[in-house]
Amino acid sequence: QLLVETHLVETRIHHGLRNLAKAKAALTASRTAANAIYVAPNLQSSIDEMSGILHCEEGDYETAHSYFLEAFEQLDQLNDQERALPC
């Protein structure tokens, strides 16, 4: 799970630096690692939220909406209203 979190942090750093190619690569690595293990819903919602953000940056709003909705539903089930509302 630490590897998934590390790649997710790397994704956020590259997104902040406006390097979308490396951000997408790090997110793909995070998703690949997450598929191999059980990932807590809290962490999965963070991955989905970041996926939505990157798809928005590319102009793919339909896919972004899908990721944001998935993240919202997971956070809503966890009763994490503070993080769910921005989604």
Side-chain angles (χ1 to χ4, degrees), residues 7-27 49-58 68:
H7 284 303
L8 189 58
V9 169
E10 183 183 0
T11 302
R12 289 184 178 134
I13 290 170
H14 287 303
H15 177 257
L17 294 172
R18 310 302 296 162
N19 190 339
L20 295 182
K22 286 187 178 182
K24 284 175 56 177
L27 185 62
E49 183 180 7
M50 197 66 217
S51 295
I53 291 169
L54 292 181
H55 280 284
C56 274
E57 293 284 339
E58 295 177 332
F68 286 137

Side-chain angles (χ1 to χ4, degrees), residues 24-84:
K24 284 175 56 177
L27 185 62
T28 300
S30 179
R31 282 191 172 284
T32 302
N35 284 335
I37 61 169
Y38 170 77
V39 178
N42 192 3
L43 182 56
Q44 184 62 46
S45 67
S46 296
I47 293 171
D48 288 338
E49 183 180 7
M50 197 66 217
S51 295
I53 291 169
L54 292 181
H55 280 284
C56 274
E57 293 284 339
E58 295 177 332
D60 185 2
Y61 300 112
E62 293 290 326
T63 306
H65 174 264
S66 175
Y67 279 117
F68 286 137
L69 184 61
E70 187 67 30
F72 173 80
E73 288 173 351
Q74 290 170 0
L75 291 169
D76 188 46
Q77 287 179 350
L78 294 171
N79 290 325
D80 191 350
Q81 302 300 324
E82 185 176 312
R83 285 187 55 212

